[in-house]
Amino acid sequence: MKAAPFEVPRPPRNERAVLVGHAQTERGHLERSLEELALLADTAGAKVADVLVQRRGTIHPATFLGKGKVEELKELVERRDAELVIFDDDLSPAQVKNLEKAVARKVVDRSELILDIFARRARTRESRLQVELAQLEYTLPRLTGMWKHLERQAGGIGTRGPGETQLETDRRIVREKIARLKAELQAVERERETQRVRRRREFRAALVGYTNAGKSTLFNALTRAGVFVENRLFATLDSTTRQLVSPDRQVVLLTDTVGFIRKLPHHLVASFHSTLVEAIEADVLLHVTDAADPDFRRHIAAVDAVLDEILLEPPPPRIMLFNKADQLSPDAVSALRVEFPDCVVVSALSKDGLDGLRDELFHRSAARVRRSHGRRGAVANSSSDGAV
């Protein structure tokens, strides 16, 4: 039997969705996480019809929610005429299968939703390869519950072989495609490495931070690059590098990178390695934070967790950069400077503080040049001493 062509399923746009959360941590954190999930759903093209929260009990291994909450969810999706259920946490393949059977609706978790957004937002060949690889690696262990033609046939003598064969055939197709994508990405990484070798002579700064913190707006304000900006999550997936040039011709290379988020799927971090290398090899990281967001401290922790995972030792120095100062009161700005003594407070929209930020980057660039000249001079002197 010939295997059916493999395609990663993509939910259609404009679906009505019910969001589901579980109060595993404090209440305020859950509410903010569900607000973020609603933004993710909107970015993916879904319309949030309602929200369901289980505030008591442990996670059920079969259905994530307790039996009573599953019944409540079923009634809610029918009453709201919802076509999709989105969970704020990752689900196991068995939980997805059991929930879809119980509520008779498509069920996705937070990681699958983020992967779908990345698939919609990917523009360049590199980002499309990265997203497709992440989707396939996420999908591989979930093959058994996704397509009817992959289901194992009912038990009994003479009924086991074809179902198992079809399942293994599809797994082989996915593994082969994963291997091909990895090979293509390695070729792209070699091309990027050639570009980075040329750039290593210059001082490099990378903008990193939580998604929708204003990195691309700040990047445009500093470089006049004109990269795409939108008030939605993950507007930018591809890294972009432009020059900053001082009046005395000092050059800084500034790179805009993909935003981070809480519970960022591990496959995405791995797949976007070639893009994140721009941050890994930077001389300084500008950690951009939305100072007007009441949850910014959790955003800082989420970004730091990803950076700690990907950065080499020793990591590059970081400058804490608070954006959207135009939305803060003078007292709030003062409080930030007390809590984060070495921070830089700017507004990409009003341009406040940008001249000081440029001066800081040029100062660090000049210091790097002086250190480089000092090392070359020391090597030259050492060679002269040896010759004598």
Side-chain angles (χ1 to χ4, degrees):
M1 180 177 178
K2 187 177 180 180
F6 179 83
E7 292 183 1
V8 176
R10 297 268 300 279
R13 287 182 176 274
N14 302 318
E15 289 177 297
R16 290 173 59 81
V18 170
L19 310 184
V20 181
H22 193 291
Q24 303 174 63
T25 54
E26 66 269 22
R27 181 170 181 172
H29 173 47
L30 175 64
E31 291 174 351
R32 288 188 289 270
S33 187
L34 286 171
E35 289 173 0
E36 185 174 85
L37 187 67
L39 291 174
L40 288 168
D42 175 69
T43 302
K47 181 180 179 181
V48 177
D50 214 327
V51 178
L52 179 71
V53 175
Q54 178 167 324
R55 299 196 180 277
R56 296 179 182 177
T58 58
I59 293 175
H60 196 283
T63 55
F64 191 83
L65 302 174
K67 184 177 179 180
K69 277 293 178 182
V70 172
E71 289 297 322
E72 187 178 342
L73 177 60
K74 181 180 180 180
E75 295 173 2
L76 182 60
V77 295
E78 291 174 352
R79 187 169 69 253
R80 297 297 189 186
D81 193 27
E83 305 132 296
L84 179 67
V85 179
I86 305 174
F87 278 73
D88 192 36
D89 296 273
D90 285 348
L91 303 174
S92 70
Q95 288 170 340
V96 171
K97 183 177 181 180
N98 293 334
L99 284 165
E100 289 186 339
K101 183 178 180 180
V103 303
R105 298 292 190 277
K106 171 71 177 176
V107 174
V108 302
D109 58 20
R110 187 183 181 97
S111 287
E112 188 173 357
L113 179 64
I114 293 173
L115 287 169
D116 181 78
I117 292 170
F118 271 60
R120 295 178 189 276
R121 297 275 171 156
R123 293 291 179 267
T124 66
R125 173 174 172 265
E126 180 181 16
S127 61
R128 286 171 179 162
L129 288 172
Q130 290 166 329
V131 172
E132 187 176 2
L133 176 60
Q135 284 183 315
L136 288 171
E137 291 185 328
Y138 175 84
T139 299
L140 183 58
R142 292 164 170 79
L143 280 176
T144 55
M146 277 193 164
W147 295 280
K148 294 299 181 185
H149 80 274
L150 297 175
E151 289 181 353
R152 303 184 184 198
Q153 294 189 0
I157 296 174
T159 63
R160 295 193 177 110
E164 292 285 345
T165 301
Q166 181 64 67
L167 180 59
E168 289 305 316
T169 299
D170 279 275
R171 283 177 175 163
R172 176 177 54 78
I173 292 171
V174 175
R175 291 192 184 103
E176 289 175 352
K177 194 165 187 178
I178 287 174
R180 179 177 60 79
L181 289 172
K182 286 183 175 179
E184 290 185 44
L185 274 174
Q186 285 177 354
V188 173
E189 287 197 33
R190 286 193 293 270
E191 294 173 9
R192 275 189 172 271
E193 177 62 22
T194 302
Q195 296 173 351
R196 284 194 294 269
V197 168
R198 292 197 299 266
R199 292 172 179 170
R200 281 174 186 150
R201 294 188 296 270
E202 309 291 351
F203 184 84
R204 294 168 296 165
L207 296 169
V208 298
Y210 210 74
T211 182
N212 213 31
K215 295 188 303 301
S216 295
T217 303
L218 180 62
F219 183 76
N220 286 339
L222 288 169
T223 66
R224 301 181 181 89
V227 300
F228 178 71
V229 174
E230 186 181 18
N231 189 25
R232 278 185 167 174
L233 306 185
F234 299 117
T236 301
L237 295 188
D238 301 291
S239 62
T240 305
T241 301
R242 294 290 185 273
Q243 285 187 343
L244 283 177
V245 183
S246 70
D248 59 355
R249 310 307 295 171
Q250 187 75 38
V251 175
V252 170
L253 297 182
L254 184 65
T255 299
D256 186 21
T257 64
V258 63
F260 301 145
I261 199 169
R262 280 177 297 207
K263 306 175 187 176
L264 188 67
H266 175 75
H267 294 315
L268 268 182
V269 176
S271 297
F272 271 72
H273 178 267
S274 61
T275 302
L276 294 172
V277 166
E278 298 289 349
I280 294 172
E281 295 191 352
D283 294 292
V284 63
L285 298 180
L286 304 180
H287 184 162
V288 184
T289 300
D290 180 356
D293 192 314
D295 207 25
F296 75 83
R297 291 174 183 82
R298 291 188 185 276
H299 294 178
I300 291 173
V303 173
D304 285 342
V306 177
L307 291 176
D308 290 342
E309 179 182 348
I310 67 173
L311 292 179
L312 304 174
E313 293 293 339
R318 304 181 201 179
I319 297 176
M320 182 57 67
L321 191 61
F322 286 102
N323 190 24
K324 306 186 183 181
D326 54 296
Q327 301 180 27
L328 301 179
S329 67
D331 289 343
V333 172
S334 299
L336 279 178
R337 296 189 188 280
V338 170
E339 186 176 355
F340 303 90
D342 297 324
C343 73
V344 177
V345 183
V346 302
S347 170
L349 197 61
S350 67
K351 309 294 193 297
D352 290 340
L354 296 192
D355 288 340
L357 176 59
R358 289 190 189 93
D359 290 343
E360 175 65 20
L361 292 176
F362 291 135
H363 172 74
R364 289 176 180 251
S365 175
R368 179 178 182 266
V369 170
R370 288 194 297 271
R371 288 195 301 271
S372 177
H373 287 168
R375 284 194 294 269
R376 284 201 294 267
V379 170
N381 291 336
S382 176
S383 299
S384 299
D385 293 342
V388 172

